[in-house]
Amino acid sequence: MTDWTIGARAWDDPAGAALRAAQRAELDARYGSDDHEPGAAPSAGDIDLFLVAVSDADGAPVGCGALRRLDPATAEIKRMYVVPPARGTGVAAAVLRALEAAALDRGWTTLRLETGTEQPDAQRFYEREGYHRIPLFGGYAGSTLSVCYERTLR
């Protein structure tokens, strides 16, 4: 049994925008500046799917994640975030599994992502969930702040 519901939302949905702003503030604090995003920032024009998890108890947004297509078989996971009180509850894994299922539904068999050097918790999460480190790709190539991962889906 879960305590949240995951559904697709528009990129500019207020709940999703609030989650992305909270993520940005947390990362600004971790990196000590707001200059920590190599590569192209996601936007409504290039995100194929944006999922938001909301609490069944009170409707509050608790997590999110997005997919951006890179090529006919590959997509990038963007803006994975869970609010601190909901961490450790399984919401992150549920959002990730929902993104993976959506990728497969679209015919995408490989998922890639970038996380940061100051996010060891995210690195552990992705490794635990079956993602393996790969060389920096795309706009992250040459970044000293990036760590990239990939997973081949069934």
Side-chain angles (χ1 to χ4, degrees):
M1 184 170 142
T2 61
D3 295 328
W4 58 83
T5 301
I6 299 170
R9 302 277 181 105
W11 181 251
D12 60 356
D13 174 80
L19 288 165
R20 293 193 314 274
Q23 178 188 43
R24 185 77 188 190
E26 183 176 324
L27 293 177
D28 289 354
R30 283 189 188 209
Y31 288 91
S33 79
D34 64 357
D35 184 25
H36 49 75
E37 183 169 10
S43 69
D46 69 1
I47 290 298
D48 294 270
L49 175 68
F50 183 50
L51 298 179
V52 173
V54 296
S55 167
D56 289 340
D58 61 9
V62 294
C64 63
L67 291 175
R68 174 167 62 190
R69 188 172 69 109
L70 299 177
D71 64 42
T74 310
E76 180 181 6
I77 296 171
K78 298 299 296 177
R79 296 303 186 258
M80 274 289 296
Y81 180 71
V82 173
V83 296
R87 292 178 187 166
T89 66
V91 70
V95 170
L96 185 61
R97 294 289 98 82
L99 290 171
E100 291 170 347
L104 285 171
D105 287 346
R106 289 164 169 76
W108 304 334
T109 56
T110 302
L111 288 181
R112 290 183 173 174
L113 64 96
E114 180 267 350
T115 190
T117 56
E118 300 303 313
Q119 296 164 259
D121 46 344
Q123 293 174 40
R124 285 189 304 273
F125 169 74
Y126 289 117
E127 290 169 6
R128 184 181 72 236
E129 296 300 322
Y131 287 73
H132 64 275
R133 282 182 78 151
I134 60 170
L136 301 178
F137 68 93
Y140 312 114
S143 170
T144 59
L145 299 176
S146 295
V147 179
C148 292
Y149 288 88
E150 181 178 280
R151 181 172 185 204
T152 301
L153 305 174
R154 293 188 257 173

